[in-house]
Amino acid sequence: MGPKSAKVYETILEWITSGKLSPGDKLPSERSLVEELGIGRTALRQVLAKLVAERVLEVRGRSSYRVPGGVSVATPEGLEPWQVHGKRTIYDNRWAKLSLWDVEPPGVKRFEHHVVELHHVAVAAVLDDQDRVLMMWRYRFVPDQFGWELPGGIVDAGEEAHATALREVEEETGWRPAELEHVVTYQPMVGMVDSPHEIFVGRGAERVGEPTDLEEAGHIEWVPLADIPGLMARGDLMGSGTLVALLHVLANRPAGGFTTSR
């Protein structure tokens, strides 16, 4: 790109990173951009193509450029939730609670449904400037399997999930994240298990010592993001939190590298 095109590229990028354009927003028409930015249409299209290739922009329809992340589908209305008439505990300890819930779906006879309540969990994907993610090679006795995992753990009573994610990374790996950004909260088995998982992504970390959580600590390594699809295909990535976090990272990774936010 020439100097003029480079300036236009930086201008559009600044519109997005500064929040002038939000996820889902449509860019002005090519004609408007040509007039506003003082650039020829051919050069403008080259700039837009570069931004699309880097996943900073996306194309919807003919020459309609938008900032990724918007939602076009409408939230359905008029549907009724299930009615919960009561709950009775079958088993309860500090790690898990099993209950029977008396539920009634709309138009269906009420029945008892097993519900398992587990802990609130925070998981963190920490990346460096070489497009590598901080991971642990661990053994899990339940599936009797070794595999790669992201650091994470239980959110203590009165603790914010963000603080948990920071703490767990340092305790389990010996690295202190420079920053962490919340990206999604999800339920791993929404039909029967209540265990909110909060996913955080950050870039940069400082080595502060050896892992202090010896039960959790395994082999620690910065794994290239380019390896993640292959590790996933051969079943070496364990845990839904690890998979959700890494899929988010890969889905939002520009062609030229990773960024936590636009």
Side-chain angles (χ1 to χ4, degrees):
M1 286 191 301
K4 187 65 175 180
S5 296
K7 184 178 180 180
V8 169
Y9 171 88
E10 293 297 334
T11 298
I12 297 176
L13 196 62
E14 173 62 20
W15 289 350
I16 298 170
T17 57
S18 67
K20 180 179 179 180
L21 290 174
S22 302
D25 283 353
K26 182 179 178 181
L27 258 67
S29 67
E30 289 186 359
R31 176 179 295 181
S32 297
L33 290 172
V34 165
E35 294 176 356
E36 179 178 354
L37 301 175
I39 189 174
R41 189 178 293 267
T42 299
L44 173 65
R45 287 177 176 173
Q46 292 174 347
V47 171
L48 295 175
K50 177 177 172 60
L51 290 166
V52 170
E54 294 175 350
R55 301 179 190 172
V56 177
L57 294 177
E58 63 183 12
V59 181
R60 292 190 184 182
R62 183 180 179 183
S63 300
S64 177
Y65 297 91
R66 297 177 184 268
V67 182
V71 177
S72 60
V73 64
T75 301
E77 298 181 356
L79 300 177
E80 297 181 16
W82 289 23
Q83 297 297 311
V84 178
H85 297 287
K87 307 174 185 179
R88 59 188 178 97
T89 301
I90 306 300
Y91 173 82
D92 189 10
N93 74 3
R94 61 176 294 201
W95 300 109
K97 179 179 180 180
L98 173 63
S99 304
L100 279 173
W101 291 26
D102 181 2
V103 297
E104 183 179 4
V108 178
K109 184 178 180 181
R110 59 196 284 185
F111 60 92
E112 285 191 317
H113 194 293
H114 285 84
V115 175
V116 179
E117 296 173 73
L118 303 178
H119 286 284
H120 182 188
V121 173
V123 178
V126 180
L127 296 106
D128 66 6
D129 58 4
Q130 299 179 55
D131 267 1
R132 301 180 302 178
V133 60
L134 183 61
M135 301 194 75
M136 306 176 295
W137 178 256
R138 296 191 54 196
Y139 173 75
R140 291 292 189 179
F141 74 91
V142 175
D144 187 21
Q145 179 184 347
F146 280 95
W148 292 105
E149 293 186 24
L150 296 174
I154 294 170
V155 179
D156 291 339
E159 185 178 39
E160 295 291 331
H162 181 266
T164 301
L166 290 169
R167 171 176 56 79
E168 291 289 343
V169 173
E170 185 170 335
E171 290 178 356
E172 295 183 354
T173 71
W175 288 83
R176 180 176 296 159
E179 59 175 326
L180 287 177
E181 173 188 354
H182 180 267
V183 295
V184 67
T185 300
Y186 77 99
Q187 291 275 7
M189 288 184 64
V190 70
M192 185 177 291
V193 177
D194 180 19
S195 178
H197 280 47
E198 298 201 42
I199 303 299
F200 295 84
V201 175
R203 188 175 185 182
E206 173 191 6
R207 178 71 168 170
V208 294
E210 295 298 319
T212 58
D213 192 335
L214 299 181
E215 178 184 344
E216 300 289 340
H219 172 76
I220 312 300
E221 187 163 333
W222 289 93
V223 177
L225 286 179
D227 288 356
I228 296 304
L231 294 173
M232 189 181 305
R234 73 186 195 191
D236 281 351
L237 300 183
M238 292 201 298
S240 63
T242 292
L243 287 165
V244 169
L246 292 177
L247 287 171
H248 172 88
V249 168
L250 294 178
N252 290 276
R253 181 184 178 216
F258 173 76
T259 179
T260 58
S261 61
R262 300 218 187 273

